[in-house]
């Protein structure tokens, strides 16, 4: 796999995690991250992720891969939080 593709996927996943951890309903951590800085960093990482994917792929292919990664991450993060946060009494 090409380097920019891996960088794009990693940045996209980190951006999704940043946006999720800024939510008041997240269950991965005991307290949410500060909303504004986490949202700004998450959005910047998502933009960098798409740009990284666009370096190695065509625009339409990069957009499709980006949306699939977003869908996967935003669907799995609440389940990961519920699985690891179940013993915290929430």
């Amino acid at each position: 796999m090409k380097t920019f593709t891996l960088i794009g996927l990693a940045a996209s996943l980190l951006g999704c995690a940043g946006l999720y951890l800024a939510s008041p309903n997240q269950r991965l951590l005991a307290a949410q991250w500060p909303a504004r800085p986490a949202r700004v960093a998450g959005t910047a990482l998502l933009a960098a992720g798409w740009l990284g994917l666009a370096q190695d792929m065509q625009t339409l292919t990069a957009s499709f891969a980006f949306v699939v990664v977003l869908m996967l991450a935003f669907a799995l993060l609440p389940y990961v939080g519920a699985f690891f946060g179940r013993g915290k009494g929430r």
Side-chain angles (χ1 to χ4, degrees):
M1 196 174 272
K2 296 182 180 180
T3 305
F4 280 113
T5 301
L6 291 175
I7 292 171
L9 292 174
S12 298
L13 290 173
L14 288 173
C16 289
L19 291 177
Y20 176 73
L21 292 173
S23 170
N25 297 323
Q26 62 88 18
R27 295 196 175 222
L28 279 174
L29 302 176
Q32 77 181 49
W33 282 0
R36 186 172 304 265
R39 288 181 185 145
V40 169
T43 305
L45 281 168
L46 288 177
W50 186 85
L51 289 172
L53 290 173
Q55 291 295 315
D56 284 340
M57 302 177 191
Q58 294 178 355
T59 305
L60 185 61
T61 308
S63 299
F64 179 76
F66 180 71
V67 169
V68 168
V69 168
L70 292 182
M71 184 173 50
L72 176 68
F74 283 134
L76 286 182
L77 279 171
Y79 288 107
V80 171
F83 181 73
F84 289 116
R86 61 188 157 123
K88 295 181 183 177
R90 288 176 86 180

